[in-house]
């Protein structure tokens, strides 16, 4: 299996320390999509529980990585943060204000500070618009962000910032490679100088050879523009190199969260351990000494999740308690007060530390 060149991750800055006030707080976030029956007289017969009680904080200057299998609710969380979907319940607090309740001018003002980089650079750019028009479109929506006479220069500066020739301003998206198109999408996201960028699997559609280049670019821009990232991905190796903290999602919920080293080197939730055991290990000797965890069964339908612990139908530790009691996302009693790397929140009744990826990997 070909492995992407690994980007180098700088040490987290003090500005990303959870000792500061969070810039974004998500509390009890729920998004259920109704299932209906009938043609003329539609009747709701159930709901897809895409997101079902998610809590997290994002601090200034840090990167929060959200990982999990396809269909676990990661992208729905991103759409909720951008107000592209309305939550069923819960709060999304940007600097203390619940932005999920905003509309009109108030929402437009907030969107200047929270921008998004989309997954697919081939469909997120309008093929009939030039690069200059695509990157400059935020200035049309927010005309006070740049005087009309300055916009072309600003667009060229943004092209230069993301590593593209400013002379490409009149070209169209089809004239660029996938990696270059994603750089254009990043430039568009930077146009209004936001504080937060929600990156929804920004490298998953790119060739393996250019993924590290885009991740390194995003790390450089984070330092240059003092950005906070919410970085969504299913590739754990990429998240490990860019994230300061990681949240692991399963079936609409975060089941484990903590600093990147704690999650990757000291996972306590069985699902996290299974995910990490599937990460390719380049070193053949290290690969021989790690345990591969194969999960049984399929991911349950979000329209009919299991009672109690949602992971119990695939978990080798499941007991009767897991059927009747939904484990809270909290520091397990066995690790509480230990001041060790395993002392981080995990939604498991029988959480235990398990070294999955060899330390010399």
């Amino acid at each position: 299996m070909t492995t992407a060149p690994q980007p180098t991750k700088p040490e987290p800055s003090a500005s990303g320390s959870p000792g500061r006030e969070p810039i974004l707080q998500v509390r009890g976030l729920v998004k259920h999509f109704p299932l209906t029956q009938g043609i003329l007289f539609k009747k709701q017969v159930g709901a897809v529980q895409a997101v079902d009680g998610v809590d997290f904080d994002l601090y200034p200057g840090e990167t929060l990585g959200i990982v999990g299998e396809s269909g676990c609710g990661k992208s729905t969380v991103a759409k909720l943060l951008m107000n592209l979907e309305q939550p069923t319940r819960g709060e999304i607090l940007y600097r203390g204000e619940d932005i999920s309740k905003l509309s009109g001018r108030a929402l437009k003002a907030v969107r200047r500070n929270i921008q998004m980089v989309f997954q697919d650079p081939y469909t997120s750019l309008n093929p009939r618009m030039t690069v200059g028009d695509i990157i400059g479109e935020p200035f049309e929506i927010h005309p006070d962000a740049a005087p009309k006479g300055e916009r072309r220069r600003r667009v060229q500066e943004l092209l230069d910032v993301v590593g593209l020739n400013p002379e490409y301003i009149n070209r169209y998206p089809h004239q660029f490679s996938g990696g270059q198109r994603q750089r254009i999408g990043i430039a568009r996201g930077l146009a209004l100088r936001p504080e937060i960028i929600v990156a929804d699997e920004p490298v998953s559609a790119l060739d393996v050879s250019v993924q590290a280049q885009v991740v390194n670019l995003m790390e450089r821009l984070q330092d240059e523009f003092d950005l906070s990232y919410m970085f969504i991905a299913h590739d754990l190796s990429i998240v490990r190199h860019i994230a300061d903290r990681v949240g692991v999602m399963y079936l609409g919920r975060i089941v484990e969260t903590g600093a990147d080293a704690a999650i990757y080197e000291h996972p306590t939730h069985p699902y996290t351990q299974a995910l990490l055991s599937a990460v390719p290990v380049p070193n053949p000797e290290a690969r021989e000494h790690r345990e591969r965890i194969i999960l049984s069964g399929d991911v349950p339908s979000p329209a009919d999740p299991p009672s109690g612990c949602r992971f119990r139908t695939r978990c080798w530790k499941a007991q009767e308690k897991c059927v009747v009691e939904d484990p809270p996302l909290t520091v397990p009693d066995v690790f509480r007060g230990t001041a060790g790397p395993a002392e981080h929140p995990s939604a498991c009744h029988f959480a235990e530390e398990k070294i999955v990826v060899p330390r010399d990997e």
Side-chain angles (χ1 to χ4, degrees), residues 314-329:
R314 307 175 73 196
C315 182
W316 63 94
K317 295 183 180 180
Q319 299 182 28
E320 185 62 30
K321 183 178 183 179
C322 305
V323 178
V324 296
E325 291 186 28
D326 187 7
L329 181 63

Side-chain angles (χ1 to χ4, degrees), residues 70-105:
S70 296
C72 71
K74 306 185 302 294
S75 293
T76 302
V77 170
K79 292 176 182 177
L80 291 169
L81 294 184
M82 297 302 302
N83 223 306
L84 300 177
E85 295 282 357
Q86 283 296 307
T88 305
R89 292 191 303 277
E91 295 179 321
I92 303 171
L93 305 174
Y94 168 69
R95 296 197 176 278
E97 183 179 21
D98 188 355
I99 61 176
S100 66
K101 304 293 193 296
L102 300 181
S103 60
R105 290 185 178 180

